[in-house]
Amino acid sequence: MSAFLRWLSLVGSVVVLALLPFSSRAELSPLAPEPDWGALDAFQETMTREEFVHWINTLFSPDGSFWKFTVINGNEVTLFGDKEHTRLLCRLRLAPDLESQNPLRATMVSAWKLSKAGATNAKPLRGLVVCLDPGHIGGPWAKMEGRYFRIGSDPPVLEAELNMRAARHAAKLLESEGATVVWTKRLFEPVTALRPASLREEALAVLYPVGSAATMPASFSPELERSIVREEEVLFYRNAEIRARAELVAKLHPDLTLCIHFNADKWSSKPTRAELIPQSRLVAFVHGDYSEEELMYDDQKWDLLFKLFSRTSIPEAEAAESIAKQMAATWNYPPENYANWSAARRVGPSPYVFARNLLANRIYRGPVVFVEGPYMNAQDAYDRIIAGDYEGTRIIGGQPYRSIFAEYGEILARGVTAWVGGPTSAVVHH
């Protein structure tokens, strides 16, 4: 269907595209689909102006970037694709007050928390669907992802394997509390059917965007070819893979998704123990804090509005705060400090919870908490990590320690149980 015919098909809808010259085009993030602006029609008059402005200013766009693309007139929000307001994207009506607000189908997690259908003291999570998303692909893809390092003859550290171990412990405990656990992946293989070599056209579009000053050369030098191949790889594991997992999450309809990761500082091509950083830091991310650069993309504007009107922010924040509390109590590491980094902003009472516009947080449906565990290359965690998973305790550095992966799983399970108001005493190690 041509762009003009697509325009005709939308005329008469509440969401109206502007009739502009064909040179005016949508700006999309790499591999992002065209936004379905009509889908936002379900949110007409489901939120008051006061609530809308509050969430934009405190969570989604605290630096005010969103308002550069938006006009709010009375109870109507008009969103544009550009800061000059020449390319209309959609209009949304806000409710004048709470009494006249249209009912919004509660998010699944909110509905579950209100009813707790089937939940008991013995099984406080019965009926709750938790999706576990162990970060990264791993296996033969780990080095490409930059999630692999090895110090001398020590066992190699592959983050995807660490994430999976923690997720398996969490799954066992969550299921013992009655939750239904679903997964975005169980193997060290890509979820996406795409491969780096199939993304050459998209890689070239990133390196030589339409309308930029960069001119694509007639032929590519070996150095430039390596840059193209690297861009193909990044699009594969950092973008296509996450989008494929998002499609699974949309089909699984979880009440909560946990993105499970270990953190790290930079390491050299041949790391040594002397390069290990002194101390881990901890963080849990919720969705928000869009930058002006990110909001130049139409799909990210759509994602912001969908997340905002879906009201996933409150359960995300509650779950993140609960998990962060368990992290601090178990590991006693300090929180991350992003004072000089605008891409992450602290939100809520916990010093461990930050808003960040990560792809997974943005495009996974429903509430999502992105958890970063200890640093893989920190002195306080490295020896425990290379010790692997085990039962009971082992002496590491002269001290007895349980498996760091079992502890991580308990943190997640206890955090979720506390969040829904169930007893956490049952979610302990044996």
Side-chain angles (χ1 to χ4, degrees):
M1 181 184 290
S2 70
F4 182 69
L5 289 177
R6 284 198 298 271
W7 177 81
L8 283 178
S9 69
L10 290 174
V11 172
S13 168
V14 176
V15 178
V16 182
L17 295 181
L19 180 57
L20 294 170
F22 287 106
S23 60
S24 182
R25 53 187 292 276
E27 295 291 339
L28 301 177
S29 307
L31 305 188
E34 286 273 359
D36 179 7
W37 296 105
L40 299 182
D41 192 34
F43 298 120
Q44 298 290 359
E45 299 184 22
T46 59
M47 181 177 288
T48 65
R49 172 176 170 144
E50 181 181 11
E51 186 179 4
F52 181 85
V53 171
H54 166 77
W55 285 114
I56 292 293
N57 290 341
T58 60
L59 180 63
F60 289 95
S61 183
D63 68 355
S65 295
F66 177 80
W67 301 117
K68 297 181 181 181
F69 302 89
T70 312
V71 172
I72 184 165
N73 185 14
N75 293 317
E76 184 176 76
V77 176
T78 305
L79 181 66
F80 296 90
D82 59 331
K83 292 184 289 184
E84 294 73 31
H85 297 182
T86 64
R87 187 164 57 86
L88 176 66
L89 296 179
C90 72
R91 290 192 177 97
L92 289 166
R93 298 187 307 277
L94 302 172
D97 50 54
L98 289 173
E99 289 70 26
S100 56
Q101 184 172 285
N102 287 336
L104 173 70
R105 179 177 176 270
T107 60
M108 288 178 290
V109 69
S110 299
W112 185 90
K113 285 188 71 176
L114 289 171
S115 66
K116 293 189 178 181
T120 64
N121 288 336
K123 299 288 184 181
L125 303 185
R126 180 170 288 162
L128 186 74
V129 179
V130 180
C131 180
L132 300 182
D133 179 44
H136 307 294
I137 303 170
W141 311 93
K143 290 185 179 180
M144 176 191 293
E145 295 177 290
R147 301 293 167 172
Y148 171 104
F149 74 93
R150 187 171 193 174
I151 295 178
S153 60
D154 289 348
V157 177
L158 289 77
E159 190 194 340
E161 293 185 3
L162 314 186
N163 301 335
M164 186 65 76
R165 290 172 187 167
R168 286 169 179 159
H169 280 282
K172 183 178 179 180
L173 292 169
L174 289 166
E175 288 172 341
S176 72
E177 296 297 293
T180 298
V181 173
V182 296
W183 299 74
T184 58
K185 61 164 279 184
R186 301 295 295 269
L187 304 173
F188 299 115
E189 291 291 337
V191 175
T192 178
L194 296 173
R195 293 296 181 266
S198 65
L199 294 167
R200 186 174 181 85
E201 182 179 343
E202 290 79 4
L204 289 171
V206 171
L207 294 171
Y208 301 98
V210 175
S212 71
T215 303
M216 189 184 303
S219 60
F220 302 113
S221 65
E223 181 181 359
L224 189 52
E225 186 65 38
R226 285 192 292 271
S227 297
I228 297 169
V229 170
R230 183 55 185 158
E231 191 62 44
E232 293 171 351
E233 293 173 345
V234 171
L235 284 172
F236 159 68
Y237 69 78
R238 191 176 291 172
N239 199 311
E241 174 67 10
I242 303 303
R243 292 188 183 279
R245 296 189 192 193
E247 293 179 7
L248 285 176
V249 173
K251 295 175 183 176
L252 294 168
H253 301 292
D255 298 312
L256 175 69
T257 297
L258 299 177
C259 301
I260 302 168
H261 291 252
F262 277 75
N263 214 334
D265 205 345
K266 293 181 179 179
W267 55 72
S268 63
S269 58
K270 293 183 179 179
T272 66
R273 280 186 171 263
E275 293 178 44
L276 295 176
I277 63 172
Q279 189 175 48
S280 293
R281 289 180 176 270
L282 302 171
V283 64
F285 291 114
V286 296
H287 182 56
D289 197 28
Y290 285 69
S291 69
E292 181 176 332
E293 182 181 9
E294 291 164 342
L295 287 170
M296 293 296 294
Y297 297 109
D298 289 357
D299 58 290
Q300 298 206 37
K301 298 185 191 79
W302 189 96
D303 292 334
L304 182 157
L305 291 173
F306 187 87
K307 280 283 189 177
L308 187 160
F309 281 106
S310 296
R311 287 182 168 84
T312 58
S313 301
I314 291 177
E316 274 186 4
E318 292 175 345
E321 295 276 345
S322 185
I323 291 169
K325 183 177 180 180
Q326 297 296 327
M327 291 170 71
T330 300
W331 285 325
N332 197 33
Y333 300 145
E336 284 287 3
N337 180 6
Y338 298 125
N340 298 316
W341 191 41
S342 62
R345 184 182 296 263
R346 180 182 161 187
V347 290
S350 172
Y352 293 88
V353 178
F354 286 77
R356 189 177 174 191
N357 181 18
L358 293 163
L359 181 60
N361 292 59
R362 189 171 76 244
I363 67 174
Y364 287 7
R365 294 291 178 92
V368 182
V369 179
F370 194 108
V371 188
E372 292 274 14
Y375 279 46
M376 296 176 283
N377 59 340
Q379 294 172 8
D380 52 26
Y382 173 75
D383 284 319
R384 297 186 65 190
I385 285 171
I386 63 172
D389 203 3
Y390 52 86
E391 295 183 359
T393 62
R394 288 187 183 178
I395 302 299
I396 300 174
Q399 298 292 326
Y401 286 101
R402 295 179 54 243
S403 162
I404 197 169
F405 310 106
E407 288 181 348
Y408 200 165
E410 287 176 11
I411 285 167
L412 296 171
R414 291 172 70 104
V416 171
T417 303
W419 165 58
V420 302
T424 59
S425 57
V427 189
V428 295
H429 65 274
H430 300 286

